[in-house]
Amino acid sequence: MTRHLASYMLRSASACTSRIRHPFAAASFCTDTSTSSSRVKIFDRQLKRKQRDRAAWLMPSNSDDPFLNTVAHNLLDRLQDCKKTFPTALCLGGSLLPVTRSLYTQRTIEKLIVMDASYEMVQLCKNAEDASNNDNIETLYVVADEEFLPIKESSVDLVISCLGLHWTNDLPGAMIQSRLALKPDGLFLAAILGGETLKELRIACTVAQMEREGGISPRVSPLAQVRDAGNLLTRAGFTLPGVDVDEYTVKYESALELIEHLRAMGETNSLFQMNTILKRDTALATAAIYDSMFAEEDGTVPATFQVIYMTGWKEHPSQQKAKTRGSATISFKDIQKQFGNHS
C-alpha cells in the first residue's frame, strides 16, 4: 500500500534541561552505549544518541509531523484488534512523541515506561506529558539503550518500538530482550524502516559521487528487507508472528528539505565506518541530480519510506498452535477429487 503525505515545514525548539529521575532505582542497568555485545558493529550508537539529542532540540513538544503520526497511528491501530488489555506498556526509542500521545488515550493501559538512549528525547516526552495534564496513566522515564534493556523479565504486557530498532547493531538480540521483558501472552509491536526507504536519495548520492569523486561510499544506512522480518520474529522466539508493509511517499520542496526532515527525525546516517567528510560540490550535485531525476510537475520532489510492521506474542498455553506434522485425517488429493467431481 502506498500512501501520500503532504510536505511540511520544520520548526526548531530550544533544548530541555530539567532533570529526569530514573524510576528503577533498585534495578541495575547500563546507559553507556560505547560497548556492544554484538560482534559486528554496523552503527555508531554514540553518534545515534547525539543525533537523537539534536532531533529533540529541533522537535517542539507540540510538533505535528504527518509522517511520524501516520506510522504511529497505523502501528497502534493493531491494538484495536485485540480483546486483551495491556496494563503495563514499554515504549522503546524511535517516534516516542506520537506513540505516547496516542497511548494516553488508551483506557486499557495503566502504566507506561518511556525509554530512549537520548536524555534530551526523554526530557522532551516528559515535557509533553506535563503539558497534556495526563492523570490517567502512570508514566516512568528511563534513559537506556535498546541493545541493553534494563527491564525485569516477565514484567510488562506490551512492548512498542516505532521506527527505532532498525538502528541497533544486534536486531535479533534486541528483539529477544523485548520478548524476555514480556509477560506470558504479552504483545510485541514494532515498526522499522525497510530496504526501499529513500531509494531516490540512494540513486542520487551514487550518481553524484561517481561523477565528482570517481567512486562511492555509503551515505544511506543499510536497512532490513521485508523477507527478513518474519525470520527475525521467529528467531527471537515470538509466536503467531505477523508482518505487513506500507510505503509512504512524502513530498518536499527540495532535496535539502528532505535532509532537514531526516535530521529532525534523528534518521540521518550513523554507519560506524562511514566517511564523515562530504564535499560541498558532491552535496550540491546530489541535490541537483535528485531534483532533475525525480521532481514532479508541481516542483516538489518525492521521497519513499517503506515501513515494515511486525507483531509477535510471547508464548502462552492459551494460544492456538499448529497441528503436528502427519496428524491430518484427510489428504489434499481426496479434497481435489471431491471438488473435481462437483465441477
Side-chain angles (χ1 to χ4, degrees):
M1 181 183 296
T2 303
R3 304 174 188 270
H4 296 270
L5 303 177
S7 61
Y8 39 89
M9 299 301 294
L10 303 173
R11 294 170 292 182
S12 62
S14 59
C16 306
T17 57
S18 61
R19 179 173 297 276
I20 298 175
R21 295 183 178 180
H22 296 282
F24 295 96
S28 61
F29 59 92
C30 176
T31 59
D32 181 9
T33 59
S34 60
T35 60
S36 172
S37 60
S38 174
R39 293 182 180 179
V40 180
K41 290 186 178 180
I42 302 174
F43 302 111
D44 187 338
R45 295 295 295 174
Q46 287 281 18
L47 176 59
K48 179 51 61 180
R49 178 181 58 79
K50 293 177 182 178
Q51 290 174 350
R52 290 191 59 76
D53 284 342
R54 179 179 61 186
W57 302 336
L58 296 173
M59 185 186 305
S61 59
N62 61 347
S63 64
D64 187 21
D65 188 311
F67 171 64
L68 296 182
N69 289 343
T70 301
V71 175
H73 173 78
N74 290 340
L75 179 64
L76 296 180
D77 187 58
R78 287 153 175 78
L79 293 177
Q80 306 302 322
D81 300 328
C82 301
K83 296 182 180 179
K84 178 181 172 63
T85 59
F86 304 97
T88 305
L90 169 64
C91 187
L92 297 175
S95 304
L96 288 176
L97 271 181
V99 172
T100 53
R101 276 200 297 256
S102 297
L103 288 178
Y104 288 147
T105 64
Q106 300 285 338
R107 298 181 179 179
T108 59
I109 294 178
E110 301 172 359
K111 183 178 181 180
L112 176 62
I113 305 170
V114 179
M115 196 191 90
D116 198 285
S118 165
Y119 171 88
E120 302 294 346
M121 189 62 72
V122 173
Q123 181 65 65
L124 180 67
C125 294
K126 185 176 186 301
N127 292 344
E129 187 218 354
D130 294 340
S132 66
N133 297 320
N134 169 53
D135 297 326
N136 300 324
I137 301 178
E138 177 188 1
T139 306
L140 307 177
Y141 297 90
V142 181
V143 179
D145 197 315
E146 295 96 326
E147 294 185 350
F148 305 95
L149 283 188
I151 306 300
K152 184 179 178 181
E153 291 189 19
S154 302
S155 60
V156 298
D157 304 282
L158 174 66
V159 173
I160 302 173
S161 176
C162 184
L163 301 181
L165 286 179
H166 53 269
W167 292 113
T168 56
N169 286 300
D170 184 11
L171 180 53
M175 293 173 63
I176 289 173
Q177 292 184 65
S178 297
R179 179 181 59 83
L180 293 176
L182 285 170
K183 298 177 181 179
D185 204 29
L187 176 62
F188 172 77
L189 282 178
I192 61 174
L193 293 179
E196 293 297 310
T197 297
L198 299 178
K199 57 185 178 182
E200 301 89 353
L201 183 59
R202 294 175 192 269
I203 295 172
C205 284
T206 301
V207 175
Q209 285 186 309
M210 289 296 294
E211 289 183 354
R212 296 296 191 274
E213 303 176 14
I216 61 174
S217 60
R219 289 293 173 185
V220 182
S221 300
L223 297 168
Q225 300 296 323
V226 177
R227 61 179 178 273
D228 301 325
N231 294 333
L232 285 170
L233 288 167
T234 303
R235 181 178 175 184
F238 288 106
T239 60
L240 308 176
V243 177
D244 57 292
V245 184
D246 269 353
E247 279 194 2
Y248 304 88
T249 300
V250 184
K251 295 183 178 181
Y252 299 90
E253 294 298 325
S254 66
L256 297 178
E257 187 183 8
L258 164 61
I259 300 302
E260 290 301 317
H261 184 215
L262 293 176
R263 288 176 178 171
M265 293 191 297
E267 293 292 336
T268 47
N269 194 356
S270 63
L271 285 174
F272 192 75
Q273 295 181 336
M274 72 174 179
N275 183 3
T276 56
I277 300 176
L278 178 61
K279 296 181 180 179
R280 177 180 175 83
D281 59 341
T282 303
L284 294 176
T286 300
I289 292 171
Y290 198 117
D291 292 343
S292 64
M293 293 184 65
F294 303 105
E296 299 188 350
E297 294 181 357
D298 58 359
T300 61
V301 293
T304 300
F305 292 89
Q306 183 186 55
V307 180
I308 303 174
Y309 297 96
M310 299 185 292
T311 60
W313 296 82
K314 189 169 184 179
E315 188 175 5
H316 188 268
S318 65
Q319 296 170 356
Q320 60 268 39
K321 296 180 176 59
K323 296 291 184 180
T324 57
R325 188 177 181 86
S327 62
T329 57
I330 186 171
S331 69
F332 281 105
K333 290 184 178 180
D334 296 335
I335 296 176
Q336 185 178 10
K337 291 178 180 179
Q338 181 179 358
F339 282 94
N341 293 336
H342 285 296
S343 60

